[in-house]
Amino acid sequence: MGIPAWVWFTVAAVAGVAGFALLATDRAQRTARNRERRRWAALRGWQFEETDHVLPTRWESGAIAYYGTGVAKDVVAGSTFTADGRRQVYVLDHETGGKVNSVLVGVRCRRPVNVVVELWLPSVPFQRDQMPDLLGPVGSRYAFVSELPAARKLITPDLVDAAEEIGADVTVVWLENDWVMAAAPPNSSPARLERLLRDLGELADVVDPFDADPDTDTGGEVHRPQFGRKP
């Protein structure tokens, strides 16, 4: 005996209503995040941009390598003070395949580091096709690096201590060129992002102390954000 047509119609209708409800909920959450992020940027005197397709191409490692380049949504750009001075910052929703997978937070150093270091939580299935070399445990995280000798020199007890302060909700912290980056959960509040910026600022102070090399001093230059353009 076949299933009556009205049963299939009911199932399809229920599925359609459920899908619409999920879409409406997702849209409402995104709108709320957008307003919250925009207010936060205004309070800090920072810039806000709803979408930036170029910004994620600044980085190739960490969450970018894991999820793909994607698109930056609800972008906040500005600068903040650390113990060693003012540094440029970015906060953005990292969207791939139409879904926000994480909030990327970055603090810029004055000079690039000569090695990529990715610090992953052990609970994350971080394996990918072109994974950097495994260095080993660094505190509670596992370090994957582009060059083992250079990374061993860079990873000091101070760096380990600073990385340990970042929190277990951040899946990966990484150093790439002149940036210290982290991937926080998609629902991270401005208060959580403020704390993460402070922690990343401390990590930036470890790898890029302002008084480390007077010959390369930039005089405290503040890097201005440039939406839509690679540096």
Side-chain angles (χ1 to χ4, degrees):
M1 181 178 178
I3 299 176
W6 66 268
V7 174
W8 291 114
F9 177 80
T10 302
V11 170
V14 170
V17 170
F20 178 79
L22 287 173
L23 181 62
T25 300
D26 179 71
R27 182 171 298 176
Q29 290 175 343
R30 170 166 291 183
T31 301
R33 278 201 310 270
N34 178 286
R35 289 197 300 265
E36 186 179 52
R37 190 76 57 79
R38 190 187 293 269
R39 283 196 299 267
W40 179 45
L43 286 171
R44 293 296 303 263
W46 290 346
Q47 298 183 36
F48 178 86
E49 189 81 5
E50 287 194 350
T51 303
D52 192 314
H53 293 269
V54 177
L55 182 58
T57 65
R58 289 177 179 238
W59 309 286
E60 299 178 351
S61 304
I64 298 293
Y66 186 79
Y67 291 108
T69 303
V71 178
K73 293 294 185 78
D74 295 340
V75 185
V76 173
S79 62
T80 191
F81 281 102
T82 70
D84 272 0
R86 185 184 290 272
R87 298 183 187 274
Q88 183 187 6
V89 300
Y90 276 116
V91 177
L92 59 104
D93 286 351
H94 182 213
E95 181 180 284
T96 53
K99 180 181 179 181
V100 174
N101 58 70
S102 58
V103 180
L104 298 188
V105 180
V107 175
R108 196 172 193 177
C109 301
R110 290 189 313 155
R111 59 184 68 81
V113 295
N114 60 353
V115 60
V116 173
V117 177
E118 300 181 7
L119 303 175
W120 288 89
L121 290 176
S123 58
V124 178
F126 39 67
Q127 190 63 41
R128 58 182 190 262
D129 291 340
Q130 296 181 342
M131 199 71 184
D133 294 328
L134 174 63
L135 177 64
V138 172
S140 59
R141 298 175 180 269
Y142 278 92
F144 293 84
V145 303
S146 60
E147 186 180 341
L148 291 171
R152 289 192 178 98
K153 293 180 181 179
L154 183 67
I155 299 176
T156 63
D158 286 342
L159 183 145
V160 176
D161 290 342
E164 286 293 276
E165 294 296 321
I166 287 174
D169 60 331
V170 174
T171 55
V172 60
V173 180
W174 78 96
L175 311 177
E176 180 180 354
N177 294 325
D178 55 346
W179 287 91
V180 178
M181 301 292 300
N187 59 350
S188 297
S189 67
R192 175 65 184 104
L193 297 175
E194 289 272 8
R195 294 195 304 273
L196 183 53
L197 279 170
R198 287 196 297 270
D199 292 337
L200 291 181
E202 292 179 4
L203 185 54
D205 288 344
V206 171
V207 299
D208 176 44
F210 276 24
D211 59 353
D213 187 358
D215 294 335
T216 59
D217 186 14
T218 60
E221 175 188 0
V222 177
H223 297 274
R224 303 299 178 187
Q226 295 179 317
F227 288 116
R229 298 193 294 275
K230 290 184 70 174

